[in-house]
Amino acid sequence: MKNDMGAVMEKENVLAGAVGALLFSLVGGALWFVLYQVGFLAGISGLIGVICAIKGYSIFAKKESLKGIVIAIIAAVIVMLAAWYLCLSLDVYNTYKEWYADGEIDYTISFAAAVRGSYVFLEEPDIALAYLKDLIIGLVLCVVGAFRFVANAVMRVKQEKKAAQNRIETQFSVQPEMYSQAQPGMQPQTYQQVQPETQPQMYTQVQPETQPQMYTQVQPETQSQMYTQVQPETQSEE
């Protein structure tokens, strides 16, 4: 019972959990960026990112729930999109440097400028297809990684609802027994034993015995003896 009350009192800190999910999902984003630079399949980092995000949410929120898993997935996807776009921006920045080094253009751009204008290159079908392919693989692996956690969370929610329903049914089944045993048995006994026995005895024993004896014993005997014994003797002697 004490453990159940402690579980009820423990509340889920959603805001702290969202921060934790975002921070832990940075691991997947950083892994995406590094794998892309070395030529490995960067999409696998989506799986790692969502697992880290869910773990971060459970640590910071002090509880793991279906809502927390959804928040963690959203955080992992945001970080993965940011890492994907940064990879695109870095490619644009390096491309401009190569063009400037080869003399094809007479200017270069900064990395910040590449970040601001990289989306323009996605208008080219070939470029968009190559980059979107990695993004789709990462999203699919992200969903695959989250599926097991979502399924476990749904099962846990169902079990908690069933346990709560069982507790409610148990409470309602115990309370009628308490009322049927305590109320009918306690109250009638107190009124039958205390009130009828104490009060009538006080009035029947004290009042009839004390007052009648005072008037029957003192008054009739003293007055009759005084008139019958004293008066006749005094008149006859005279």
Side-chain angles (χ1 to χ4, degrees):
M1 186 67 181
K2 185 176 180 181
N3 294 329
D4 294 337
M5 291 298 295
V8 172
M9 294 299 293
E10 186 179 0
K11 294 183 179 179
E12 182 179 4
N13 193 339
V14 179
L15 181 60
V19 174
L22 189 62
L23 291 176
F24 275 61
S25 62
L26 292 176
V27 176
L31 184 62
W32 180 294
F33 191 83
V34 172
L35 291 178
Y36 183 82
Q37 301 305 317
V38 297
F40 283 90
L41 181 62
I44 194 174
S45 61
L47 175 64
I48 299 173
V50 72
I51 294 174
C52 293
I54 293 172
K55 185 64 176 178
Y57 184 91
S58 62
I59 292 174
F60 278 71
K62 305 298 183 182
K63 189 177 181 181
E64 184 176 334
S65 63
L66 182 61
K67 177 172 61 178
I69 293 174
V70 173
I71 293 173
I73 293 172
I74 294 173
V77 171
I78 291 173
V79 172
M80 186 172 58
L81 288 173
W84 171 79
Y85 189 78
L86 287 176
C87 291
L88 173 63
S89 300
L90 184 61
D91 288 343
V92 171
Y93 172 73
N94 292 330
T95 300
Y96 269 86
K97 286 178 64 176
E98 292 177 0
W99 290 346
Y100 179 75
D102 294 339
E104 297 181 5
I105 56 175
D106 55 355
Y107 65 94
T108 186
I109 61 173
S110 63
F111 182 73
V115 172
R116 290 193 298 268
S118 295
Y119 66 92
V120 177
F121 289 86
L122 295 176
E123 297 177 357
E124 296 290 333
D126 295 336
I127 297 176
L129 181 62
Y131 284 93
L132 290 176
K133 180 181 178 181
D134 292 336
L135 180 61
I136 292 172
I137 293 174
L139 291 174
V140 170
L141 292 177
C142 181
V143 173
V144 170
F147 179 78
R148 180 174 63 86
F149 293 97
V150 172
N152 292 335
V154 171
M155 185 179 298
R156 184 166 53 251
V157 168
K158 290 181 179 180
Q159 291 176 355
E160 290 176 356
K161 288 183 179 179
K162 185 176 181 181
Q165 186 176 1
N166 291 333
R167 285 195 297 268
I168 293 173
E169 292 177 355
T170 304
Q171 291 177 358
F172 277 106
S173 63
V174 170
Q175 287 179 358
E177 295 179 357
M178 294 174 61
Y179 284 105
S180 62
Q181 294 177 2
Q183 291 183 356
M186 292 294 293
Q187 293 181 356
Q189 291 179 359
T190 55
Y191 286 103
Q192 289 176 2
Q193 293 178 3
V194 177
Q195 292 182 357
E197 293 180 2
T198 56
Q199 294 180 358
Q201 290 179 1
M202 292 175 63
Y203 287 102
T204 54
Q205 293 178 5
V206 176
Q207 292 181 358
E209 294 179 1
T210 56
Q211 293 180 358
Q213 290 178 1
M214 292 174 64
Y215 289 99
T216 54
Q217 293 177 5
V218 176
Q219 291 180 358
E221 293 179 0
T222 55
Q223 292 179 357
S224 61
Q225 291 177 2
M226 288 174 65
Y227 286 99
T228 54
Q229 295 178 7
V230 176
Q231 290 179 359
E233 291 180 0
T234 54
Q235 292 178 359
S236 60
E237 289 178 355
E238 290 179 355

